[in-house]
Amino acid sequence: MQAILSTYLPVLIFVIISLGIACTMLGTALFSAKQNPYDEKIYPYECGFPAFEDARQIFDVRYYLVGILFIIFDLEMVFLFPWAITLSKIGAFGFFSMLIFLVVLTIGFIYEWCKGALEWD
């Protein structure tokens, strides 16, 4: 039992030091900063102007399609960089695997473009 506790001792020390530093930083900011809340400072805002409609309005489907397309092409970039770096090591199999991946993504992009998902009225 003593051996198990001694292996977790560094983790416990790390947690205690982390909490101490976090509490010290929060306390210092709380006590040293000038607290002067006024109406405009605590007013909720979004995009720099006051809300003019209900926050629970229905968004257009194209908003979500653009978000999904962003995630898809962002993931494509995440896969392309390591592939480009290790291309000399993975050989022809890796090259053609990524080529198939890019062709599938390109077909999906063309499909979305033809459906008009990227056009705003």
Side-chain angles (χ1 to χ4, degrees):
M1 185 72 174
Q2 185 67 18
I4 293 174
L5 291 177
S6 66
T7 57
Y8 283 110
L9 183 63
V11 175
L12 180 64
I13 292 172
F14 178 76
V15 169
I16 290 171
I17 291 174
S18 308
L19 288 173
I21 291 173
C23 290
T24 303
M25 292 173 70
L26 286 173
T28 304
L30 181 66
F31 292 121
S32 66
K34 182 180 176 184
Q35 303 292 326
N36 188 15
Y38 52 90
D39 289 340
E40 288 184 24
K41 186 187 246 184
I42 61 174
Y43 186 75
Y45 67 94
E46 184 176 334
C47 302
F49 54 86
F52 52 86
E53 290 185 18
D54 185 21
R56 289 173 175 77
Q57 65 184 354
I58 298 174
F59 287 101
D60 193 9
V61 172
R62 287 176 289 185
Y63 174 79
Y64 298 107
L65 288 176
V66 170
I68 290 171
L69 286 174
F70 172 76
I71 290 172
I72 288 172
F73 291 109
D74 188 44
L75 286 176
E76 175 186 359
M77 288 297 116
V78 168
F79 286 129
L80 274 177
F81 286 123
W83 170 77
I85 291 171
T86 61
L87 184 59
S88 62
K89 297 177 187 170
I90 58 177
F93 177 74
F95 175 76
F96 288 112
S97 297
M98 186 54 78
L99 190 65
I100 291 170
F101 175 71
L102 291 174
V103 166
V104 169
L105 281 176
T106 305
I107 290 171
F109 178 68
I110 292 170
Y111 175 76
E112 292 291 332
W113 192 350
C114 291
K115 284 291 189 180
L118 301 175
E119 296 180 14
W120 296 93
D121 294 333

